[in-house]
Amino acid sequence: MTTTTVPRTQDLSEGALGMALLDIERRDLSTARRHLAQATARGVSTGSNASLFHGAPALEFVLARAHGAGDDVRTAVDRVVDARLAAAHHRQAAGELPHLADWDLIRGLTGLAALLLSRQPPAPRLPDVLACLVALARPTPGGGRLLPGWWSALGPDGKVMPGGHGNNGMAHGIAGPLAVLSLALREGVTVPGQEEAIGTIATWLDRHGTHYWSTAAHLDAEQPPALPEPARQSWCYGQPGIARAQQLAALALGDTARRRAAEDTLVTTLTDPLRLARITDATLCHGWAGLLTLTRAVAADSPAPARFTPIVQDLHRRLATSWERLPKTGFMEGRAGAQLALHTTENTGWSRALLLT
């Protein structure tokens, strides 16, 4: 395994790795091999950009869908995890606020936790990663006040943001750690403080989850201000992704009221014409494919799955009539991801990459 700058072919979001996921789900292993060869032709990154969605961890995730991840790939991923853990421990010891890329699903420890949890048995390093995510739920001093431990001095665009922000979404926000901590707890993988952290994050999202992110002004308000108009609702940002994370938290903690509230939120959101009108594409990340996959996961874990049947049918219809117009070919924003969502069954567990299962 080598560390090098490579094309986006080894990018799970847009490159050949993501296209291989569809091949494997279809059991078209000859095409999958061609896409994997394309993705790895110039080496596989184990550097600072390596994550669930890039480099060696992304390669392991895809290979594991076909039970083909070898010891060399897992060893490379373990080196990535060790480096990320060392950086997180250093930051925590210094009392520094994290960057989103330190811990989020797409680039950080949450995505690595999702990968390690998908190993059978779960990887020995997983508890250390979960402990770092649990630590995010502990308040951190900053700017003369106590801030959530996941607060970032930088805005969602990576630039300095006065007062910083707390990101709430599934892709780059605290809903991602909530989901993976809850999935781990349901699978019997626990670390000290995990249940308390799940409760803390879930309670935060009860208050702040209607916003893509929270600002210092939101912290000072009795209630976060209402949005002036409906925001686009999706897997990556918005209440559908957060609702799935909240449902997973409720299932992990045995909280019937929270589970019901999360499911009610999803139904309300995905039957509101004004909110549906904000969705303009078919992608997994922020379109119909992600919403369809998410709703199926919520329904599968609900004691009343039939209430979601009309929503699933509507989302499937919208996706089926629009996916071919997507200009990209890949997983998160392209036709491969949309076609994966159109499958009525999931054989490979590919939606673990979205923290939905």
Side-chain angles (χ1 to χ4, degrees):
M1 309 298 288
T2 61
T3 303
T4 182
T5 301
V6 297
R8 298 198 68 171
T9 51
Q10 64 176 253
D11 185 333
L12 183 59
S13 295
E14 296 184 18
L17 279 182
M19 296 169 69
L21 274 182
L22 176 62
D23 303 329
I24 293 168
E25 182 69 23
R26 289 173 164 174
R27 299 178 182 175
D28 181 359
L29 297 186
S30 62
T31 305
R33 291 188 189 97
R34 289 199 295 272
H35 280 133
L36 289 166
Q38 179 185 353
T40 58
R42 294 178 58 188
V44 179
S45 175
T46 57
S48 60
N49 65 348
S51 66
L52 176 60
F53 279 77
H54 189 81
L59 178 62
E60 179 185 339
F61 182 82
V62 174
L63 290 173
R65 301 315 98 199
H67 308 288
D71 289 343
D72 57 339
V73 176
R74 286 191 291 267
T75 297
V77 170
D78 289 344
R79 292 201 302 271
V80 171
V81 174
D82 288 343
R84 290 300 189 92
L85 285 171
H89 293 151
H90 177 79
R91 175 185 56 74
Q92 289 168 356
E96 298 173 354
L97 289 172
H99 298 300
L100 298 185
D102 295 338
W103 56 265
D104 73 8
L105 170 61
I106 302 297
R107 300 163 296 178
L109 286 171
T110 295
L112 294 175
L115 174 61
L116 297 180
L117 184 61
S118 71
R119 291 184 185 176
Q120 293 301 323
R125 287 168 172 78
L126 177 59
D128 290 337
V129 178
L130 295 177
C132 284
L133 298 176
V134 165
L136 294 173
R138 294 195 284 268
T140 299
R145 69 196 312 169
L146 283 177
L147 297 169
W150 61 87
W151 202 260
S152 173
L154 303 181
D157 59 359
K159 298 177 182 178
V160 174
M161 182 177 184
H165 89 295
N167 202 290
N168 298 322
M170 183 71 96
H172 295 295
I174 197 60
L178 178 62
V180 80
L181 288 171
S182 300
L183 286 166
L185 183 58
R186 293 183 74 193
E187 295 183 26
V189 183
T190 62
V191 296
Q194 187 169 341
E195 292 190 22
E196 293 81 358
I198 291 170
T200 295
I201 298 168
T203 300
W204 167 273
L205 290 172
D206 289 341
R207 177 180 171 86
H208 294 276
T210 57
H211 292 262
Y212 284 180
W213 52 79
S214 302
T215 66
H218 291 177
L219 297 180
D220 296 330
E222 289 188 11
Q223 287 292 331
L227 296 172
E229 57 185 21
R232 183 183 65 191
Q233 301 298 311
S234 61
W235 164 80
C236 61
Y237 274 113
Q239 290 183 286
I242 290 172
R244 176 54 173 166
Q246 290 277 45
Q247 186 198 36
L248 289 171
L251 292 167
L253 299 178
D255 187 338
T256 302
R258 181 176 298 283
R259 179 196 55 73
R260 187 182 300 114
E263 294 171 12
D264 289 347
T265 293
L266 187 65
V267 170
T268 299
T269 301
L270 296 184
T271 55
D272 181 347
L274 291 177
R275 289 172 172 159
L276 291 174
R278 294 283 181 179
I279 303 162
T280 58
D281 68 47
T283 64
L284 279 176
C285 187
H286 41 255
W288 303 120
L291 292 173
L292 175 59
T293 306
L294 184 155
T295 304
R296 283 180 175 147
V298 170
D301 280 332
S302 172
R307 71 186 300 214
F308 298 96
T309 300
I311 299 172
V312 168
Q313 291 172 339
D314 178 58
L315 294 172
H316 190 279
R317 177 186 59 79
R318 293 175 186 269
L319 177 59
T321 57
S322 60
W323 74 268
E324 290 181 296
R325 295 196 295 272
L326 288 172
K328 295 182 179 180
T329 59
F331 176 59
M332 289 298 283
E333 295 186 355
R335 297 188 295 276
Q339 290 175 89
L340 279 165
L342 283 171
H343 278 240
T344 56
T345 58
E346 182 180 327
N347 299 313
T348 60
W350 65 266
S351 65
R352 174 56 62 89
L354 307 179
L355 281 181
L356 295 177
T357 57

